[in-house]
């Protein structure tokens, strides 16, 4: 009986799995083509100093304008890029673009921003990922301290030894490191002591429920960052009351739709050279 039920289940699931696999194969083929044709592009979301209101940096966020489906979300195509290994080439390209764009904004008279680039676990496993990072800096002429790599807790825990070795090498080169989505992953607090990082990013989940529900964790993350001498940035700030709470709590930097959407490079330059945002004045 169990056996036949199992067989039935198998039969019932096969068409669905095939459909998902087909869709994924199609997405993979389209992504491969899009990368070849350089159809993807980074958008940049500004980050602000909570005390002074000045724009201090940007985060590079990949966008894929698809001819039929509009903008495909990175939440959809980054996992495909990771599984297929395409993320290695794509990640290398984003690093170069982000550094080149920042250098161009410098030349155009923008204030000295930092640029944060998201890194996948798969990239960290590349034997010469550090070489890619240094090559992007070298090609753009940027000082290493202008570049920040965003690593997630799960990436760090995937192979802690490898990650720690990478982090020390990157820090020795002068590049900055931050932990993205902090508080949502599986890392142990004990590791924070041995991770040579510069910054924690409070996950949007905790910011979203401020000031009523998220404040216990947000307060704890800010205190943790203080204790370790790290900077802290809140992501996903959408409402003025969230920003007011974060400023009062001593959060260093803020990023979110309230302060600025992710935008194309040219628009970021215009924003960076314009008078500061009303929410922070
Ligand atoms: P993330 O690194 O945590 O990026 C923050 C995400 O929150 C971005 O989503 C951003 O557009 C969104 N966001 C910013 N402010 C707000 C806000 O106020 N409210 C809300 N609801 N959302 C906000 P996005 O651009 O869709 O990217 C999703 C994820 O895809 C990123 O999460 C990152 O993990 C990944 N990703 C994006 N670009 C790259 C890349 O170049 N390389 C890698 N490896 N991953 C990337
Ligand atoms: Mg990020
Ligand atoms: Mg994040
Ligand atoms: Mg994320």
């Amino acid at each position: 009986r169990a056996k036949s039920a199992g067989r039935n289940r198998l039969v019932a699931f096969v068409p669905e799995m095939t459909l998902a696999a087909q869709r994924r194969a199609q997405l993979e083929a389209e992504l491969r083509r899009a990368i070849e044709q350089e159809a993807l592009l980074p958008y940049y979301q500004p980050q602000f100093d909570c005390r002074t209101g000045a724009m201090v940096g940007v985060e590079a966020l990949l966008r894929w304008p698809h001819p039929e489906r509009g903008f495909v979300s990175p939440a959809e195509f980054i996992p495909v890029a990771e599984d297929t290994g395409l993320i290695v080439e794509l990640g290398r390209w984003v690093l170069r673009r982000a550094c080149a764009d920042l250098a161009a904004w410098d030349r155009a008279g923008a204030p000295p921003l930092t640029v944060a680039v998201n890194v996948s676990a798969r990239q960290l496993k590349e034997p010469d990922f550090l070489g890619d990072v240094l090559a992007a800096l070298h090609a753009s002429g940027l000082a290493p301290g202008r570049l920040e790599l965003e690593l997630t807790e799960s990436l760090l825990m995937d192979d802690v030894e490898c990650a720690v070795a990478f982090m020390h090498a990157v820090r020795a080169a002068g590049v900055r490191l931050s932990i993205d989505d902090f508080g949502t992953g599986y890392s142990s607090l004990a590791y924070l002591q041995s991770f040579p990082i510069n910054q924690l990013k409070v996950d949007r989940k905790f910011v979203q429920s401020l000031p009523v529900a998220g404040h216990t964790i947000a307060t704890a993350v800010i205190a943790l960052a203080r204790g370790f001498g790290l900077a802290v940035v809140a992501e996903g700030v959408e409402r003025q009351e969230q920003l007011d709470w974060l400023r009062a709590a001593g959060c260093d930097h803020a990023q979110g739709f309230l302060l600025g959407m992710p935008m194309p490079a040219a628009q970021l330059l215009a924003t960076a050279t314009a008078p500061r945002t009303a929410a922070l004045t």
Side-chain angles (χ1 to χ4, degrees):
R1 227 183 99 97
K3 219 172 179 176
S4 87
R7 245 200 310 274
N8 285 340
R9 207 156 64 223
L10 192 64
V11 169
F13 273 106
V14 162
E16 252 179 77
M17 302 225 346
T18 306
L19 209 64
Q22 270 173 5
R23 168 153 171 72
R24 194 152 171 109
Q26 191 191 341
L27 197 63
E28 181 188 335
E30 289 174 345
L31 183 59
R32 214 175 275 281
R33 206 174 320 124
I35 293 171
E36 270 164 27
Q37 298 171 347
E38 298 208 19
L40 284 78
L41 73 166
Y43 271 34
Y44 297 96
Q45 185 176 36
Q47 301 173 328
F48 296 87
D49 184 308
C50 286
R51 275 184 315 113
T52 66
M55 192 191 292
V56 290
V58 296
E59 177 177 5
L61 294 160
L62 263 175
R63 293 292 177 265
W64 179 11
H66 188 282
E68 288 114 45
R69 287 188 282 139
F71 280 85
V72 182
S73 166
E76 193 177 351
F77 71 80
I78 292 288
V80 175
E82 284 171 341
D83 289 353
T84 53
L86 285 169
I87 192 67
V88 173
E89 187 188 335
L90 189 56
R92 195 181 288 138
W93 179 83
V94 171
L95 271 169
R96 292 185 83 93
R97 262 303 286 271
C99 290
D101 283 339
L102 183 55
W105 300 333
D106 280 358
R107 290 192 297 270
L113 308 170
T114 57
V115 66
V117 175
N118 293 283
V119 175
S120 292
R122 186 69 169 63
Q123 290 173 274
L124 224 61
K125 290 206 183 78
E126 280 298 294
D128 201 27
F129 180 54
L130 181 61
D132 293 343
V133 172
L134 299 179
L137 284 168
H138 186 76
S140 64
L142 282 182
R146 306 286 301 284
L147 175 65
E148 187 169 274
L149 302 180
E150 293 195 2
L151 314 172
T152 61
E153 290 167 274
S154 52
L155 169 150
L156 294 172
M157 301 314 291
D158 188 52
D159 183 345
V160 178
E161 223 169 288
C162 161
V164 169
F166 171 78
M167 286 193 280
H168 280 290
V170 149
R171 292 288 298 129
V175 174
R176 296 172 49 84
L177 290 173
S178 70
I179 300 190
D180 203 358
D181 307 336
F182 186 74
T184 61
Y186 296 97
S187 72
S188 146
L189 287 181
Y191 279 112
L192 271 188
Q193 288 186 97
S194 59
F195 287 166
I197 51 170
N198 303 92
Q199 178 169 265
L200 297 180
K201 297 194 80 174
V202 184
D203 191 73
R204 184 168 83 217
K205 187 180 293 176
F206 308 120
V207 173
Q208 232 142 33
S209 52
L210 287 175
V212 182
H215 71 274
T216 307
I217 289 173
T219 303
V221 174
I222 293 167
L224 206 56
R226 281 279 160 284
F228 283 116
L230 308 174
V232 54
V233 48
E235 51 179 359
V237 179
E238 294 179 352
R239 298 193 310 274
Q240 186 69 46
E241 60 173 351
Q242 297 167 339
L243 182 63
D244 293 342
W245 187 93
L246 288 161
R247 296 178 89 179
C251 185
D252 300 298
H253 303 139
Q255 175 183 353
F257 295 166
L258 174 71
L259 301 163
M261 302 293 289
M263 57 187 100
Q267 197 182 329
L268 191 284
L269 173 63
T271 307
T273 48
R276 58 194 47 173
T277 176
L280 275 159
T281 49

